Amino acid sequence: MTVEQARPDRLRFGYADCRDGQIHYRRQGTAGKPVVAFYHQTASSGAMFEKVMARLADGYDCIAFDTPGFGYSYEPAEVDSVGYYTDRMMEALDDLGIERFHACGHHTGGCLAVEMPVRYPGRVLSLAMIGPVEATAEQRAEFRKHFSAPFKPEPSGAYLDEAWRYLAGIGADQTLELHHRELVDHLRSWEALTVAFNRVWDQDFAAFHQRVDCPMLHMCSRDDVIWPFYEQARAARPDAEGVVVTGADFQCDVDADGVAGGLRDFLDRQGG
């Protein structure tokens, strides 16, 4: 065991290779413990899980990935489906030598994670989703109108204020530090965010959700924009566990204790 591996309190950074480029990740935890792989929402990065990982580091090996097009990961040439992200993330895990793991996805991250136990059977020990996107075709069409609009830099700089106000509307303004961090991530991924949202609304999440055969946890906050979908997910899969936390769309920062506590209680009963 190296000095780095012996320090579960230390956050480390690295890159894993996949077919099309390098996937950036944050890693914190204890070597030899069960791996928990985290997947972020649009248009955040793995930074959104740092507080949660710190709270789980004594008992788990936590890895938060930046989706292609976000954070410090490579810029994909084309994304034809959510499955594109899923496949590249599985390749990143392969490169890190990780065969079996617990998956935790937030919003868009849940959409890519929900495909993993279905398309890669036997590898996912459990699936946790914060804001599962169990939406009808009509709901997906309505959300596409509001969360897939083109966003790009322009000379007046008005897009900066637009992004700032958008993030405030979904709860990022609960602290200035959070608001600023999310703005930086939002601006970095100005091309990727529209693509990711459109692929989410294209996905038949419900079909994958029904086929998940590993232990499953749903989590959400009542002021999350995804709350109606969470209620539908609970009805669709009553066998899954459910935990209600706080923090609008940024539970992992605003209610890190609640999220980490709910995850630990769930994960501790799964083994791995």
Side-chain angles (χ1 to χ4, degrees):
M1 179 180 293
T2 67
V3 173
E4 289 292 321
Q5 290 173 324
R7 290 283 304 274
D9 60 309
R10 178 169 292 175
L11 181 67
R12 292 168 287 137
F13 302 84
Y15 284 91
D17 287 327
C18 73
R19 185 190 73 183
D20 295 337
Q22 288 190 306
I23 302 290
H24 180 259
Y25 64 84
R26 294 162 171 80
R27 192 167 191 170
Q28 186 169 8
T30 305
K33 294 293 186 178
V35 171
V36 185
F38 292 90
Y39 305 101
H40 62 81
Q41 67 179 335
T42 302
S44 298
S45 68
M48 67 171 290
F49 293 112
E50 288 183 9
K51 292 182 179 179
V52 171
M53 292 197 300
R55 287 161 171 78
L56 297 175
D58 61 328
Y60 292 92
D61 183 0
C62 302
I63 309 174
F65 294 94
D66 293 348
T67 305
F70 299 85
Y72 294 103
S73 288
Y74 74 94
E75 200 73 36
E78 182 180 4
V79 177
D80 58 0
S81 68
V82 168
Y84 174 88
Y85 300 126
T86 302
D87 292 340
R88 302 296 82 76
M89 290 302 180
M90 295 301 293
E91 291 165 3
L93 287 164
D94 290 342
D95 189 54
L96 293 173
I98 296 168
E99 176 64 24
R100 305 188 74 202
F101 61 98
H102 300 278
C104 178
H106 185 290
H107 288 204
T108 299
C111 292
L112 72 90
V114 78
E115 295 195 10
M116 291 177 169
V118 178
R119 298 180 50 229
Y120 295 87
R123 295 194 61 177
V124 182
L125 296 166
S126 72
L127 172 64
M129 291 181 287
I130 306 170
V133 189
E134 177 81 23
T136 66
E138 292 76 18
Q139 288 170 325
R140 294 201 305 270
E142 184 61 29
F143 264 67
R144 191 190 296 271
K145 297 177 185 176
H146 303 287
F147 290 94
S148 300
F151 172 82
K152 62 181 180 180
E154 40 80 27
S156 73
Y159 71 100
L160 301 171
D161 182 61
E162 177 188 344
W164 187 257
R165 287 185 286 106
Y166 163 79
L167 289 164
I170 59 174
D173 62 346
Q174 295 180 72
T175 70
L176 183 58
E177 178 185 16
L178 171 62
H179 205 168
H180 173 73
R181 187 197 75 204
E182 289 297 314
L183 177 68
V184 172
D185 278 345
H186 198 86
L187 297 178
R188 174 267 180 266
S189 59
W190 67 270
E191 291 180 291
L193 71 88
T194 299
V195 173
F197 275 136
N198 275 302
R199 298 297 81 79
V200 164
W201 309 129
D202 290 342
Q203 184 193 41
D204 188 353
F205 176 97
F208 286 104
H209 190 213
Q210 280 301 315
R211 294 174 61 193
V212 171
D213 60 1
C214 62
M216 187 159 47
L217 171 68
H218 299 145
M219 188 179 291
C220 202
S221 52
R222 296 181 187 277
D223 52 352
D224 189 323
V225 68
I226 298 297
W227 176 259
F229 303 159
Y230 168 80
E231 294 185 302
Q232 290 165 191
R234 301 293 302 125
R237 288 296 302 263
D239 56 309
E241 298 184 32
V243 173
V244 176
V245 291
T246 62
D249 291 23
F250 299 94
Q251 302 91 338
C252 296
D253 283 281
V254 179
D255 189 13
D257 286 336
V259 173
L263 278 173
R264 184 184 291 275
D265 180 63
F266 172 70
L267 292 170
D268 283 353
R269 287 182 278 108
Q270 310 310 323

